[in-house]
Amino acid sequence: MPIPYLTNITVFKHGITSSTLILVLGLCAPIMTLANAAEYRGGRPDTNTSRWGIGIGAISQQQGIKGIDRNTVVIPFLSYESQYVRWFGPSIDIKLPSVIIDKAQQIKFSLTGRYDFGGYDDDDIDDTPILQGMDEREGGFGIGAKAQWQNPWLDVYAQWMSDVSGDRDGHYFSLGVDKRWIFDQQILVSPRIVAVWLDDNYVDFQYGVQSHEATVTRSAYIGEATVNIELGVRVAYLFDRSSSVFIDGSITSLGDEIKDSPLVDSATENRFMLAYLYKF
């Protein structure tokens, strides 16, 4: 793996699907921001000093694939943030110069790299009838760029990622908005809506059926580009400047090109995450 990361401790199954990682890794920067809430100055965190963190999180997701079990994993992780770098578990961001609009608004830019555990493994295939006889879908490493417009009303963010490992040669683009409320400098509530565009290679990798995988009950299917829509909310509680816990829940409406796959029998997927972070 290109960056240091503590090995997943599996509760039920090994690994996290690509759709989960797109959403969960998108939480990395907000998690760091939420954990810094006790250090807010004028509504924005102070990142001029560097800090390490250690934590543990539990992620539970129900995919839309026919008959697949709910996937729950426990993930220990390390984090680090400074003025120039943000590292959180399997993702790392290189911060670029920001554009300051006024005292209340700025646009932040960064380059990002992350490991996508992706696809489904042999255990999923053995335990899920519709996947039996399919080839294993392995993860990969992606790089990209993102921008975040911070303002007094809503935070707007956009991100482009591209696979560079060669396993899927896929791309995705996400555009989202969230609103953060802070109560008593300890409780943070942040609802969001995110649109995620997946290109045809990405959809075909996860939900496609190659000709040699087709059977009488599972027809061949070539994935096409589509858009998923996620609605979610996260709530964080900060015990002090170092210690915080948060819970995040979301439901994702799958695009038509995913729902048309013979592997899929649900229009939605859902995910819940509970995590604790200690910064020092």
Side-chain angles (χ1 to χ4, degrees), residues 82-86 93-100 106-112 144-147:
S82 70
Q83 186 177 357
Y84 304 105
V85 176
R86 177 188 294 113
D93 296 333
I94 307 300
K95 300 178 183 180
L96 302 177
S98 301
V99 174
I100 307 299
Q106 63 177 316
I107 302 176
K108 293 184 174 182
F109 301 95
S110 62
L111 302 177
T112 184
K146 59 184 178 182

Side-chain angles (χ1 to χ4, degrees), residues 198-209:
L198 306 170
D199 77 349
D200 51 358
N201 288 332
Y202 211 107
V203 175
D204 190 54
F205 177 83
Q206 178 73 18
Y207 301 99
V209 179

Side-chain angles (χ1 to χ4, degrees), residues 66 129-130 214-219 262:
K66 294 179 183 178
I130 193 64
T215 65
V216 175
T217 58
R218 184 178 61 217
S219 58

